[in-house]
Short mmCIF file of all heavy atoms in Angstrom, two decimals:
data_model
loop_
_atom_site.label_atom_id
_atom_site.label_comp_id
_atom_site.label_asym_id
_atom_site.label_seq_id
_atom_site.Cartn_x
_atom_site.Cartn_y
_atom_site.Cartn_z
N SER O 5 35.03 -62.10 -89.35
CA SER O 5 34.82 -62.72 -90.66
C SER O 5 35.26 -61.77 -91.75
O SER O 5 34.88 -60.61 -91.76
CB SER O 5 33.33 -63.06 -90.85
OG SER O 5 33.14 -63.64 -92.12
N ILE O 6 36.10 -62.28 -92.64
CA ILE O 6 36.58 -61.49 -93.78
C ILE O 6 36.15 -62.23 -95.05
O ILE O 6 36.52 -63.38 -95.26
CB ILE O 6 38.11 -61.36 -93.74
CG1 ILE O 6 38.50 -60.65 -92.45
CG2 ILE O 6 38.62 -60.58 -94.93
CD1 ILE O 6 39.98 -60.64 -92.22
N MET O 7 35.38 -61.56 -95.86
CA MET O 7 34.80 -62.22 -97.03
C MET O 7 35.63 -61.96 -98.27
O MET O 7 36.26 -60.93 -98.41
CB MET O 7 33.38 -61.70 -97.26
CG MET O 7 32.49 -61.77 -95.99
SD MET O 7 32.31 -63.44 -95.36
CE MET O 7 31.42 -64.17 -96.73
N GLY O 8 35.59 -62.91 -99.20
CA GLY O 8 36.28 -62.74 -100.46
C GLY O 8 35.72 -63.68 -101.49
O GLY O 8 34.97 -64.60 -101.18
N LYS O 9 36.08 -63.48 -102.73
CA LYS O 9 35.58 -64.32 -103.81
C LYS O 9 36.42 -65.58 -103.91
O LYS O 9 37.62 -65.56 -103.68
CB LYS O 9 35.64 -63.55 -105.13
CG LYS O 9 34.73 -62.32 -105.15
CD LYS O 9 34.83 -61.59 -106.46
CE LYS O 9 33.92 -60.36 -106.49
NZ LYS O 9 34.02 -59.63 -107.76
N SER O 10 35.79 -66.67 -104.34
CA SER O 10 36.45 -67.96 -104.53
C SER O 10 37.26 -68.31 -103.29
O SER O 10 38.47 -68.56 -103.35
CB SER O 10 37.37 -67.91 -105.76
OG SER O 10 36.64 -67.57 -106.90
N CYS O 11 36.60 -68.30 -102.15
CA CYS O 11 37.31 -68.47 -100.89
C CYS O 11 36.88 -69.75 -100.19
O CYS O 11 35.83 -70.29 -100.43
CB CYS O 11 37.07 -67.29 -99.95
SG CYS O 11 37.66 -65.73 -100.60
N ARG O 12 37.75 -70.19 -99.28
CA ARG O 12 37.36 -71.24 -98.36
C ARG O 12 37.44 -70.67 -96.95
O ARG O 12 38.07 -69.65 -96.71
CB ARG O 12 38.28 -72.47 -98.50
CG ARG O 12 39.73 -72.19 -98.13
CD ARG O 12 40.54 -73.47 -98.27
NE ARG O 12 41.96 -73.23 -98.10
CZ ARG O 12 42.57 -73.18 -96.93
NH1 ARG O 12 41.89 -73.30 -95.82
NH2 ARG O 12 43.88 -72.98 -96.86
N THR O 13 36.82 -71.32 -96.01
CA THR O 13 36.76 -70.81 -94.65
C THR O 13 37.86 -71.44 -93.81
O THR O 13 38.10 -72.64 -93.88
CB THR O 13 35.39 -71.13 -94.02
OG1 THR O 13 34.38 -70.54 -94.81
CG2 THR O 13 35.31 -70.58 -92.60
N LEU O 14 38.50 -70.59 -93.00
CA LEU O 14 39.54 -71.06 -92.08
C LEU O 14 39.14 -70.63 -90.68
O LEU O 14 38.90 -69.46 -90.42
CB LEU O 14 40.90 -70.46 -92.43
CG LEU O 14 42.02 -70.74 -91.43
CD1 LEU O 14 42.32 -72.24 -91.41
CD2 LEU O 14 43.26 -69.96 -91.80
N LEU O 15 39.03 -71.58 -89.76
CA LEU O 15 38.68 -71.28 -88.38
C LEU O 15 39.91 -71.50 -87.52
O LEU O 15 40.47 -72.59 -87.50
CB LEU O 15 37.54 -72.20 -87.92
CG LEU O 15 36.95 -71.93 -86.52
CD1 LEU O 15 36.31 -70.55 -86.51
CD2 LEU O 15 35.94 -73.01 -86.18
N ASN O 16 40.32 -70.46 -86.80
CA ASN O 16 41.53 -70.54 -86.00
C ASN O 16 41.21 -70.12 -84.58
O ASN O 16 40.84 -68.98 -84.33
CB ASN O 16 42.60 -69.61 -86.59
CG ASN O 16 43.91 -69.71 -85.84
OD1 ASN O 16 44.15 -70.71 -85.19
ND2 ASN O 16 44.73 -68.69 -85.96
N CYS O 17 41.29 -71.03 -83.61
CA CYS O 17 40.97 -70.73 -82.22
C CYS O 17 42.25 -70.64 -81.41
O CYS O 17 43.13 -71.48 -81.54
CB CYS O 17 40.10 -71.82 -81.61
SG CYS O 17 38.49 -71.97 -82.42
N VAL O 18 42.33 -69.63 -80.57
CA VAL O 18 43.50 -69.43 -79.71
C VAL O 18 43.00 -69.29 -78.28
O VAL O 18 42.12 -68.48 -78.01
CB VAL O 18 44.26 -68.16 -80.11
CG1 VAL O 18 45.52 -68.05 -79.29
CG2 VAL O 18 44.58 -68.19 -81.59
N SER O 19 43.56 -70.07 -77.36
CA SER O 19 43.12 -70.02 -75.97
C SER O 19 44.23 -69.51 -75.07
O SER O 19 45.37 -69.94 -75.19
CB SER O 19 42.70 -71.42 -75.50
OG SER O 19 41.59 -71.88 -76.24
N PHE O 20 43.87 -68.61 -74.16
CA PHE O 20 44.78 -68.12 -73.14
C PHE O 20 44.04 -68.22 -71.81
O PHE O 20 43.12 -67.44 -71.53
CB PHE O 20 45.17 -66.66 -73.39
CG PHE O 20 45.76 -66.45 -74.74
CD1 PHE O 20 45.14 -65.62 -75.67
CD2 PHE O 20 46.92 -67.09 -75.11
CE1 PHE O 20 45.69 -65.43 -76.91
CE2 PHE O 20 47.47 -66.90 -76.35
CZ PHE O 20 46.86 -66.07 -77.26
#
Side-chain angles (χ1 to χ4, degrees):
S5 179
I6 299 172
M7 308 300 295
K9 296 180 180 179
S10 302
C11 298
R12 64 179 173 84
T13 301
L14 173 65
L15 185 64
N16 183 22
C17 297
V18 186
S19 296
F20 305 117

